[in-house]
Amino acid sequence: SSAEPAGARGDAVEQLSEREIEVLRLVAEGYSNRQIAGLVHLAEGTVKNHLSSILTKLGARDRTNAVLRAIREGILG
């Protein structure tokens, strides 16, 4: 069968920091890196660093793929 090993789902949720989830939520809402930086009071470079970390942790190839994976994993509702 294709059952996932125990604990497989939810691992990504635990890996993402609250700030990364916040950034990802804003990406899902269509904001640019610059807009996100202004909204959460971070430098644009810091937002890019968070996004890079998010892509790595979710195994995503780009912003859109990260959002889709996050929705599928239940990180974003």
Side-chain angles (χ1 to χ4, degrees):
S1 82
S2 62
E4 295 183 27
R9 275 187 77 74
D11 286 352
V13 179
E14 293 166 26
Q15 288 180 353
L16 292 181
S17 70
E18 287 185 29
R19 179 64 93 180
E20 288 168 343
I21 292 169
E22 181 181 20
V23 167
L24 191 55
R25 193 166 272 126
L26 292 168
V27 168
E29 291 177 20
Y31 291 101
S32 69
N33 289 353
R34 180 171 292 171
Q35 289 170 318
I36 293 168
L39 288 167
V40 297
H41 310 291
L42 294 172
E44 189 175 351
T46 304
V47 172
K48 289 178 181 177
N49 288 342
H50 283 313
L51 272 169
S52 177
S53 176
I54 290 164
L55 295 180
T56 300
K57 290 177 179 181
L58 294 180
R61 63 183 175 274
D62 56 36
R63 300 163 70 99
T64 303
N65 189 239
V67 169
L68 292 173
R69 286 174 184 252
I71 291 169
R72 189 173 64 231
E73 291 294 325
I75 299 167
L76 299 178

